[in-house]
């Protein structure tokens, strides 16, 4: 007598490889806001998301293109930009504690995702992390990009850095730009926060 086979039909997002439900459940059990980091071809995106039974609620969304407003005119998807985006997110969000959600990304040491995490932690967000996952300070500040830029000039292989050369950017100016952008984020968001507090007090 033939027996019927029993098939399990998984959630659509699991079938399409968009969601790891085992990881998602583990994150939800923390009862904390999720600090979601995602990458696209041109930018990085961070979101603070709360879970509700009727659907997730996005509290804050920030795209790395926002860094232009603070003076960052280089790539919006490199490691320095990732750090600065995390810093900006921590300053703009009312959330004080969160848990990292990297989705389906592989947690590789020195990855841009962990540069975002370090920026957020340095900005005051209470979030668990492991120091060993972070890039060193040279990569965070973009010093490694400056070295590649100078090497490309000496080897006459300037194609990948043509925009940098057109803007007359040097290895030193990359680090200077990183420092100025970081300081401006801290200063501007502190002033905005003070203004919001004053408005509430009236």
């Amino acid at each position: 007598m033939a027996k019927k086979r029993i098939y399990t039909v998984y959630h659509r997002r699991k079938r399409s490889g968009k969601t790891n439900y085992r990881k998602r459940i583990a994150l939800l059990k923390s009862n904390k806001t999720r600090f979601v980091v995602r990458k696209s071809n041109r930018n990085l995106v961070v979101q603070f998301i709360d879970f509700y039974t009727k659907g997730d609620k996005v509290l804050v969304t920030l795209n790395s293109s926002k860094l232009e407003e603070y003076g960052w005119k280089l790539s919006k998807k490199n490691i320095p930009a990732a750090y600065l985006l995390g810093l900006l997110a921590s300053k703009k969000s009312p959330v004080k504690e969160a848990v990292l959600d990297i989705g389906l990304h592989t947690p590789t040491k020195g990855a841009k995702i962990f540069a975002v995490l370090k920026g957020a932690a340095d900005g005051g967000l209470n979030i668990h992390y492991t120091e060993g996952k972070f890039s060193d300070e040279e990569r965070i500040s973009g010093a490694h990009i400056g070295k590649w830029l100078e090497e490309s000039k000496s080897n006459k292989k300037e194609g990948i850095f043509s925009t940098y050369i057109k803007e007359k950017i040097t290895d030193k100016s990359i680090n200077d730009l990183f420092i100025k952008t970081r300081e401006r984020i801290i200063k501007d968001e502190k002033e905005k926060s003070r203004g919001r507090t004053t408005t509430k007090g009236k």
Side-chain angles (χ1 to χ4, degrees):
M1 183 177 177
K3 293 183 179 180
K4 293 183 178 179
R5 290 185 177 181
I6 298 175
Y7 292 94
T8 301
V9 180
Y10 294 103
H11 293 292
R12 178 176 55 82
R13 291 186 64 85
K14 182 173 183 177
R15 295 199 307 271
S16 60
K18 293 181 178 179
T19 300
N20 183 321
Y21 281 95
R22 183 175 296 178
K23 285 185 178 179
R24 178 177 168 82
I25 290 172
L27 291 171
L28 297 181
K29 283 182 178 179
S30 71
N31 292 319
K32 296 178 181 177
T33 298
R34 284 156 40 226
F35 181 62
V36 180
V37 183
R38 299 291 184 265
K39 298 186 294 184
S40 69
N41 290 333
R42 293 188 175 184
N43 299 301
L44 297 163
V45 179
V46 298
Q47 293 180 309
F48 288 90
I49 300 178
D50 278 343
F51 169 76
Y52 290 89
T53 53
K54 292 184 179 180
D56 289 349
K57 181 179 180 181
V58 179
L59 306 177
V60 177
T61 297
L62 279 174
N63 188 297
S64 55
S65 61
K66 185 79 172 175
L67 295 174
E68 292 181 358
E69 297 179 16
Y70 297 84
W72 184 254
K73 56 184 179 180
L74 304 184
S75 170
K76 307 304 182 298
K77 63 177 184 178
N78 58 23
I79 289 178
Y83 175 91
L84 293 169
L85 178 62
L87 179 67
L88 180 61
S90 70
K91 297 298 183 183
K92 275 193 169 296
S93 173
V95 177
K96 302 303 179 185
E97 185 176 16
V99 59
L100 179 65
D101 180 348
I102 64 173
L104 299 176
H105 294 301
T106 303
T108 306
K109 178 181 178 181
K112 296 171 188 175
I113 290 170
F114 293 114
V116 176
L117 173 61
K118 179 168 175 56
D122 287 354
L125 181 67
N126 183 4
I127 187 167
H128 175 75
Y129 60 86
T130 303
E131 286 282 356
K133 292 290 187 180
F134 295 151
S135 298
D136 57 40
E137 289 300 323
E138 279 200 348
R139 292 183 68 81
I140 290 291
S141 65
H144 66 297
I145 300 173
K147 289 179 181 179
W148 293 343
L149 174 60
E150 294 307 306
E151 287 175 6
S152 71
K153 288 179 180 178
S154 61
N155 296 330
K156 297 182 179 180
K157 296 180 179 180
E158 303 173 351
I160 192 171
F161 291 107
S162 58
T163 303
Y164 288 59
I165 294 168
K166 183 180 179 180
E167 295 290 335
K168 297 182 180 180
I169 294 170
T170 65
D171 56 338
K172 184 178 183 301
S173 64
I174 291 174
N175 184 64
D176 290 345
L177 182 61
F178 172 81
I179 293 172
K180 287 179 181 178
T181 305
R182 181 178 62 188
E183 290 177 347
R184 185 172 173 185
I185 288 173
I186 295 171
K187 180 182 177 182
D188 285 9
E189 293 308 315
K190 185 177 181 179
E191 290 177 352
K192 289 177 183 178
S193 178
R194 188 181 300 152
R196 288 191 292 267
T197 303
T198 302
T199 302
K200 287 181 181 179
K202 290 182 179 179

